[in-house]
Amino acid sequence: MSQNPKASPNLPWIPRLLMTFLAFLVDLTRRPNSTVNRRLFNLFDFKAPASKKPNNGVATSDIKVDPSRNLWFRLYTPETHGGGGGACMPVVLYFHGGGFCYLAANSFSFDRYCRRLTRELRAVIVSVNYRLAPEHRHPCQREDGVDVLKFIDETNIENLPAYANLKQCFIAGDSAGGNLAHQVTLGAIEKKFLKLKIVGLIAIQPLLGGEERTESEIRLQKSTLMPMHRTDWMWKAFLPQGSNRDHPATNIFGPNSVDISGLKFPATMVVVGGFDPLQDWQRRYYEGLKKSGKEAYLIEYPNCGHSFYVHTQIPESSLLIEEMKNFIGLQSAYQ
């Protein structure tokens, strides 16, 4: 475990500026009573429109699932050449980060990131616009994710290309979305799908926690994005009223956890950054998967802080995409 006394890595100025501004905006708009000033936050949460005409090799469209709860997803499809898109292009169901309380599938930073994933992974990406806390607490987000899977499985979606292979479906997410990727996978195991098969999970720096204060949380408590005072607020906003941080949606392999040893849980890739205060919890997640007899891979980037993956200026963001590509290729080959 790194004992580097610094709270944050050396970053190019653009990622540093963006992370600092996001942290400032979250603190400005989160209230002591665990509510969010959405009107103020949305002034700065710039949205990217969908584009059915390919833009830099990727076309996008927004698909409504349940308008009554504003449940929809943005579908990203890579441009194909010569009419041969490839009959086995995997499908990745993606959950964005934002502490369960912020951002959306069409937020500019996540739209750009999902476009990049689509292009470089050569995959069809389904980015879920799930309901946000505290207006909608756990398990609403898990329910939204499972319902999107059911919708894809049961509906003939006009813009879903024929080369999208639903038998090679991966569930992925970053930060809070990494947590949700696990929760949705857990919920999906209980369902019987007609066309869809989940073959892998990718948890990128998942937002996890517990009542215990870990060494990395204490050592990196001055980190830009995820210090303890901010993650404590997020858990209070996300979890059911009266819950503590040992809730199974927070502390996945803690004292109240769900035993997954007898479940057909898919192979999982866990991504950890050496400057992420959550790294101890993320390693425990990986270790819990292994102890439960599940196939799991730990990918570590010692010089990276939380959210490094969305910034193209950080070299490790490209290395991570290569690791994701290898993981998807490996799991797809088993099918």
Side-chain angles (χ1 to χ4, degrees):
M1 181 180 296
S2 171
Q3 297 298 320
N4 196 324
K6 294 194 301 179
S8 61
N10 294 321
L11 292 172
W13 72 270
I14 292 179
R16 182 175 296 277
L17 177 65
L18 292 174
M19 290 180 190
T20 302
F21 179 71
L22 178 58
F24 169 77
L25 187 59
V26 167
D27 286 343
L28 184 66
T29 56
R30 64 183 179 94
R31 302 186 180 109
N33 65 351
S34 300
T35 61
V36 175
N37 185 337
R38 297 226 175 270
R39 181 176 297 181
L40 179 57
F41 185 85
N42 288 339
L43 288 175
F44 300 94
D45 181 18
F46 302 112
K47 300 298 198 297
S51 174
K52 292 186 178 180
K53 182 179 179 180
N55 179 1
N56 198 14
V58 177
T60 61
S61 56
D62 293 339
I63 310 296
K64 294 179 181 179
V65 177
D66 184 353
S68 70
R69 52 178 153 150
N70 194 31
L71 178 59
W72 56 273
F73 60 84
R74 178 158 290 183
L75 180 67
Y76 295 80
T77 55
E79 188 176 19
T80 59
H81 302 282
C88 293
M89 195 171 287
V91 175
V92 180
L93 191 78
Y94 194 85
F95 294 88
H96 67 81
F100 308 106
C101 302
Y102 292 96
L103 302 171
N106 59 349
S107 293
F108 180 81
S109 59
F110 285 112
D111 179 77
R112 182 178 61 179
Y113 185 57
C114 286
R115 285 179 180 276
R116 183 184 182 193
L117 291 180
T118 303
R119 192 168 50 248
E120 298 189 26
L121 295 179
R122 299 300 294 168
V124 174
I125 306 291
V126 173
S127 181
V128 180
N129 193 72
Y130 55 85
R131 289 171 289 177
L132 299 177
E135 295 89 344
H136 306 280
R137 294 173 177 266
H138 175 81
C140 291
Q141 296 76 17
R142 168 174 162 163
E143 293 168 353
D144 288 349
V146 173
D147 285 350
V148 168
L149 282 172
K150 290 165 60 180
F151 180 87
I152 294 171
D153 185 60
E154 299 170 0
T155 308
N156 291 321
I157 302 170
E158 179 182 356
N159 295 319
L160 186 67
Y163 53 77
N165 190 344
L166 293 177
K167 296 297 185 184
Q168 295 178 355
C169 181
F170 293 80
I171 300 183
D174 68 277
S175 192
N179 178 306
L180 295 179
H182 174 90
Q183 301 297 336
V184 171
T185 300
L186 202 58
I189 288 174
E190 305 168 357
K191 308 297 179 182
K192 290 185 178 180
F193 296 107
L194 301 172
K195 300 178 290 186
L196 184 148
K197 183 180 180 182
I198 299 168
V199 299
L201 189 162
I202 301 173
I204 305 172
Q205 295 186 293
L207 175 49
L208 306 169
E211 284 295 298
E212 176 191 349
R213 298 304 192 184
T214 67
E215 187 275 337
S216 64
E217 286 178 305
I218 296 170
R219 173 167 48 88
L220 298 168
Q221 61 184 315
K222 294 183 179 180
S223 69
T224 302
L225 284 181
M226 304 302 277
M228 285 187 290
H229 68 86
R230 196 173 294 131
T231 54
D232 284 355
W233 181 92
M234 291 171 178
W235 293 125
K236 287 180 181 178
F238 170 68
L239 293 173
Q241 295 280 4
S243 302
N244 67 21
R245 293 189 306 274
D246 279 336
H247 188 283
T250 304
N251 193 349
I252 290 177
F253 290 106
N256 305 310
S257 64
V258 176
D259 181 11
I260 68 168
S261 58
L263 301 177
K264 292 184 179 180
F265 204 83
T268 303
M269 171 178 160
V270 184
V271 180
V272 175
F275 281 93
D276 188 348
L278 305 174
Q279 62 186 274
D280 288 346
W281 291 112
Q282 293 157 358
R283 291 192 186 93
R284 290 186 190 184
Y285 174 57
Y286 162 77
E287 292 163 1
L289 290 169
K290 297 290 284 187
K291 289 178 182 177
S292 298
K294 307 308 172 187
E295 182 181 351
Y297 302 87
L298 183 66
I299 309 299
E300 298 197 59
Y301 297 100
N303 296 318
C304 288
H306 200 81
S307 84
F308 74 92
Y309 40 86
V310 298
H311 301 284
T312 57
Q313 301 89 347
I314 298 176
E316 286 87 346
S317 69
S318 296
L319 298 178
L320 173 58
I321 289 179
E322 286 301 312
E323 290 285 359
M324 294 171 69
K325 188 184 301 183
N326 292 339
F327 175 78
I328 289 173
L330 177 65
Q331 300 308 320
S332 297
Y334 289 157
Q335 305 310 309

